[in-house]
């Protein structure tokens, strides 16, 4: 077989990981990215000349990245200073405060002080359940190609079959949480983990309680900011021979004889390849944005199935009245109506607000004067709706949105003086950066028991065309997008190896054939 030549479309985490792994395994890899720098959602926003993380702020499952660096002949620790955080987050409801810690005993004690002994016991039971769910699904679901329910049961094996029956796919997360916590604020706090994959705790299965275990297992702080991770992955790829081409949007995926054969850039330039990995949202393939020939490779995602979007302020600010930690959540009084508004395509009137105070160290100490903040409020994913409110935000509407956010945090005493250069990224802005998503940041929402099985898999319906990223199996978030990149690389190499075995056999039989790989969509 000639050397495998691969074009990766998109330099988000999934694309960067896939490109580096393929190059480390000897493939000739070109990564083409529409933006002028790597990272995709793992982006940094320049505010008055200062870089502020405008995407992910919570770094979990660092071991996934350690493994990827090692597989590419590197070491995460050589590239980045990554420190474990002792404080997970500070949560506020009006004047009430609750901190969660990396040490589960400290969290349990804090919950006991906050809500009483019964809820502290509830927390212990909840944590055990979240761990059980994670352990049951880590190997057979998160780290393998997308299964259907039967395959998942089979992968879990005889012992695992009992677990499979108790994954709680038919109970909503909100309902399940009511069984652990009497205090509605705790139900709200742990229900918020559904938003880590852009979903509603009222609509997603209780299975997703496993996300709480991921966070409880460790949150890390990256010196210099999260965007450094994207730069480190890019450097890893470069060392292994990946060619990076920025400001190079792809217009079309070339399909020849039923197989992916390269891409055509918006400039008209054609880059030939024996395989293509798409790190852009697969919904863009299904919507025909990469040409008609590729369209049937992935399904479009109906607007009603999208995950949440967000309003994200990146700002320098003076803060007072509330002792911020690195991660802070200011909860609304009424979670059900907040999610009902989002479901109806509206911003909540009094939303919950997340603030990452990026200059704070683990103990919450900040430098004097202005500090860098990322402020996030959930928003509906209708940034591409022609007549949707969010697609046409006027300056007055943006001002109103900012006032509502400031009012929400002021209920806890926090006063924010945002510098004039503040950048607000709306769902319409996200929709422009990530086409065919409407600004949904986590692919399809994980609503209902079947959602995880419907997500795009690594393989598509077109041989030689693969998908990787947070909208693809196993799901959204940095570690999941990275695992998805790894799965795409594995599938591609496995298919290539089985193809190279099939060619001599076919030749012996005297059949002249272009390798006709039938690749099941996975
Ligand atoms: C505000 C925000 C907060 C978040 N918080 C967290 C968090 O705290 N922790 C966490 O783990 N995760 C978080 N996430 C989610 C996480 O960032 C994503 O799941 C992950 O980064 C997605 O990576 P990806 O591989 O899907 O690529 P993406 O980031 O989606 O990048 C895809 C890339 O493809 C490129 N592309 C698209 N179309 C084309 C084309 N035609 N030609 C060339 N290139 C193209 C895009 O420009 C983009 O660079 C957050 C996301 C956002 C936006």
């Amino acid at each position: 077989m000639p050397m495998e030549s691969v074009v990766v479309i998109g330099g988000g985490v999934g694309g960067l990981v896939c490109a580096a792994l393929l190059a480390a395994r000897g493939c000739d890899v070109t990564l083409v990215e529409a933006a002028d720098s790597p990272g995709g959602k793992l982006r940094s926003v320049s505010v008055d000349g200062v870089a502020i993380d405008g995407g992910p702020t919570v770094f979990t499952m660092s071991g996934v990245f350690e493994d990827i660096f090692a597989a590419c002949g590197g070491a995460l620790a050589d590239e980045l200073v990554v420190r474990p955080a002792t404080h997970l987050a500070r949560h506020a409801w009006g004047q009430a405060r609750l901190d969660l810690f990396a040490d589960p005993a400290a969290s349990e004690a804090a919950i006991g002080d906050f809500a009483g002994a019964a809820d502290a016991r509830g927390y212990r039971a909840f944590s055990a359940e979240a761990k059980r769910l994670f352990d049951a699904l880590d190997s057979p679901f998160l780290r393998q190609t997308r299964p259907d329910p039967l395959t998942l049961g089979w992968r879990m094996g005889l012992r695992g079959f009992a677990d499979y029956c108790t994954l709680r796919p038919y109970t909503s997360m909100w309902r399940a949480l009511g069984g652990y916590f009497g205090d509605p604020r705790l139900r709200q706090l742990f229900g918020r983990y559904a938003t880590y994959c852009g979903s509603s705790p009222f609509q997603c299965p209780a299975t997703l309680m496993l996300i709480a275990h991921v966070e409880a297992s460790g949150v890390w702080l990256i010196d210099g900011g999260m965007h450094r991770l994207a730069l480190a992955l890019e450097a890893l790829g470069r060392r292994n021979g990946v060619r990076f081409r920025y400001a190079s949007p792809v217009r079309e995926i070339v399909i020849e004889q039923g197989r992916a054969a390269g891409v055509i850039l918006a400039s008209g330039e054609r880059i030939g390849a024996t395989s293509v990995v798409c790190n852009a949202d697969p919904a863009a393939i299904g919507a025909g944005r990469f040409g008609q020939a590729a369209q049937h490779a992935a399904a479009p995602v109906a607007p009603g199935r999208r995950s949440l979007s967000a309003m994200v302020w990146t700002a320098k600010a003076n803060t007072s009245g509330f002792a911020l930690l690195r991660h802070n959540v200011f909860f609304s009084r009424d979670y059900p109506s907040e999610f009902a508004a989002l479901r109806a395509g509206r911003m909540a009137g009094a939303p919950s607000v997340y603030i990452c105070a990026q200059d704070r160290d683990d103990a919450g100490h900040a430098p004097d004067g202005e500090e860098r903040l990322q402020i996030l409020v959930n928003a509906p994913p209708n940034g591409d709706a022609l007549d949707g409110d969010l697609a046409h935000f006027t300056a007055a509407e943006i001002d109103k949105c900012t006032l509502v956010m400031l009012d929400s945090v002021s209920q806890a005493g926090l006063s924010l003086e945002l510098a004039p250069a503040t950048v607000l990224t709306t769902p319409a802005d996200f929709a422009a950066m990530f086409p065919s998503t409407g600004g949904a940041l986590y692919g399809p929402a994980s609503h209902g028991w079947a959602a995880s099985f419907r997500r795009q898999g690594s393989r598509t319906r077109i041989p030689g065309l693969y998908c990787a990223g947070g909208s693809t199996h196993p799901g959204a978030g940095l570690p999941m997008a990275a695992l998805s990149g790894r799965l795409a690389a594995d599938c591609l190499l496995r298919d290539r190896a089985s193809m190279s075995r099939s060619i001599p056999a076919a030749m012996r039989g005297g059949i002249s054939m272009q390798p006709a790989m039938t690749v099941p969509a996975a």
Side-chain angles (χ1 to χ4, degrees):
M1 292 291 284
M3 187 189 202
E4 181 76 8
S5 60
V6 184
V7 171
V8 177
I9 305 170
V13 169
L16 291 168
V17 164
C18 188
L21 286 166
L22 288 172
R25 295 285 300 275
C27 299
D28 178 58
V29 183
T30 304
L31 186 149
V32 282
E33 164 57 56
D36 53 12
S37 58
K41 297 181 183 93
L42 179 51
R43 57 201 282 267
S44 115
V45 178
S46 176
V47 179
D48 224 359
V50 174
I52 302 184
D53 280 327
T57 54
V58 180
F59 184 38
T60 55
M61 294 177 76
S62 62
V64 166
F65 290 90
E66 283 166 6
D67 291 349
I68 286 162
F69 274 79
C72 296
L76 182 67
D78 291 347
E79 305 292 331
L80 298 171
V81 179
V82 177
R83 302 171 199 275
T86 55
H87 290 75
L88 298 183
R90 176 156 292 166
H91 307 86
W93 296 260
Q95 296 306 312
R97 309 273 182 272
L98 173 63
D99 292 352
L100 291 186
F101 302 89
D103 174 5
S107 292
E108 190 179 322
I111 288 172
D113 292 344
F114 180 78
D119 276 347
R121 281 194 302 277
Y123 169 70
R124 200 184 311 161
F126 166 76
S127 301
E129 178 67 346
K131 179 179 184 322
R132 185 189 68 79
L133 290 166
F134 180 83
D135 289 346
L137 289 172
D138 184 24
S139 166
F141 187 81
L142 300 180
R143 294 177 196 258
Q144 296 199 44
T145 50
R146 191 201 62 193
D148 56 33
L150 274 181
T151 314
L152 179 59
W154 178 77
R155 280 183 192 164
M156 291 172 90
L158 271 183
R159 217 186 123 251
F161 191 72
D163 288 332
Y164 177 57
C165 297
T166 56
L167 292 176
R168 309 180 74 171
Y170 308 114
T171 309
S172 79
M173 184 193 242
W174 188 254
R175 176 185 272 269
L177 289 169
Y180 297 101
F181 302 110
D183 189 318
R185 296 170 299 182
L186 294 174
R187 204 171 175 189
Q188 191 177 20
L189 188 161
F190 290 103
R192 179 176 163 271
Y193 284 110
T195 65
Y196 280 34
C197 60
S199 303
S200 157
F202 302 94
Q203 292 174 274
C204 77
T207 321
L208 291 193
M209 296 193 308
L210 65 82
I211 300 171
H213 174 72
V214 170
E215 183 161 302
S217 302
V219 169
W220 282 264
L221 307 176
I222 299 179
D223 277 12
M226 295 289 286
H227 184 61
R228 289 267 171 99
L229 178 61
L231 300 178
L233 286 168
E234 191 215 41
L236 185 72
R238 224 179 258 289
R239 274 200 305 279
N240 280 281
V242 179
R243 282 182 299 278
F244 290 90
R245 297 195 47 183
Y246 293 108
S248 303
V250 171
R251 180 179 82 197
E252 189 178 329
I253 297 172
V254 179
I255 310 296
E256 283 174 357
Q257 295 173 315
R259 213 190 134 76
V263 298
I264 298 176
L265 303 182
S267 64
E269 181 188 350
R270 178 183 165 137
I271 306 175
T274 48
S275 296
V276 173
V277 179
C278 183
N279 174 229
D281 199 299
I285 301 179
R289 282 181 181 262
F290 290 105
Q292 274 186 357
Q295 188 167 3
H296 74 281
V301 175
R305 284 187 48 222
R306 289 171 174 167
S307 58
L308 292 171
S309 187
M311 305 286 283
V312 180
W313 291 259
T314 32
K316 289 194 286 179
N318 284 306
T319 71
S320 58
F322 183 97
L324 288 165
L325 290 180
R326 174 71 74 106
H327 303 289
N328 311 271
V329 186
F330 300 83
F331 278 109
S332 68
R333 286 178 194 281
D334 186 352
Y335 227 31
S337 64
E338 189 174 345
F339 281 90
L342 292 169
R343 195 173 180 179
R346 288 182 280 106
M347 295 295 294
S352 299
V353 180
Y354 163 78
I355 296 184
C356 175
Q358 297 179 19
D359 294 315
R360 304 258 166 176
D361 64 16
D362 192 27
H365 297 129
D368 291 338
E370 281 185 335
E371 57 182 310
R372 295 175 303 161
L373 302 182
Q374 181 197 112
I375 306 166
L376 186 149
V377 170
N378 291 321
N382 53 9
D384 56 354
L386 289 179
D387 54 356
D389 293 346
L390 294 173
H392 299 289
F393 257 149
T394 62
E397 286 166 327
I398 286 175
D399 285 349
K400 181 176 168 217
C401 206
T402 304
L403 288 175
V404 166
M405 177 274 290
L406 292 172
D407 184 55
S408 288
V409 299
S410 74
Q411 307 296 316
L414 176 62
S415 166
L416 295 176
E417 279 173 48
L418 303 180
T422 297
V423 175
L424 172 59
T425 309
T426 68
D429 298 323
F430 283 119
M433 284 184 273
F434 309 108
S436 301
T437 64
L441 298 173
Y442 314 86
S446 299
H447 293 162
W449 70 270
S452 298
F453 299 109
R454 280 204 303 256
R455 224 176 173 84
Q456 174 63 44
S458 315
R459 294 186 175 96
T460 70
R461 296 187 188 116
I462 295 182
L465 176 57
Y466 301 84
C467 285
S471 301
T472 300
H473 173 81
L478 295 174
M480 296 301 132
L483 286 174
S484 169
R486 181 161 209 158
L487 284 171
D490 288 349
C491 286
L492 189 156
L493 292 168
R494 229 179 287 141
D495 293 344
R496 202 65 191 163
S498 74
M499 202 160 94
S500 70
R501 280 195 301 275
S502 76
I503 286 177
M507 297 299 277
R508 272 197 302 278
I511 303 163
S512 158
M513 64 175 252
Q514 179 74 20
M517 271 203 331
T518 40
V519 180

